[in-house]
Amino acid sequence: MAGETALSTLIREMSPTLNPGQYVFCTLDDAAQLQGCVPLGSFREREGLTAILERGEAERLGLAYDFVAAWITLEVHSALSAVGLTAAFAGALAQAGISCNVVAGYFHDHLFVASTDAERALSTLRALAANAQTE
């Protein structure tokens, strides 16, 4: 199933949704440190395995973290080959002074913003979509 590629449609229909909970990024030398816990996401880098976990799981496992994030999903089914969506929302968030870490899944983009910025990020993204509606 192919996702949307038209930038104007992607922005208009992004429908940002705040997922419940707090999330952290941890770095591990070995996946065995997860003790069977399945991370929300992970990525292998030269320096180690980055795992995105619910904050409570990271604390239960005794894993260090330094950034507590809220998780926002853009509900539009964006194609992995789509051009410009990341730039559009990242630019709007940057203009509002909000840091954003992005993970692209097959169907949706997932944004991790500081938990203290969650509501402001949602407002910024919704305003971006609303402005695209009127253009």
Side-chain angles (χ1 to χ4, degrees), residues 6 33 46 56 73 88 92 127:
Q33 290 174 272
R46 286 184 305 278
T73 298

Side-chain angles (χ1 to χ4, degrees), residues 38-50:
V38 178
L40 178 63
S42 65
F43 197 86
R44 169 80 47 202
E45 299 178 280
R46 286 184 305 278
E47 298 85 354
L49 176 68
T50 297

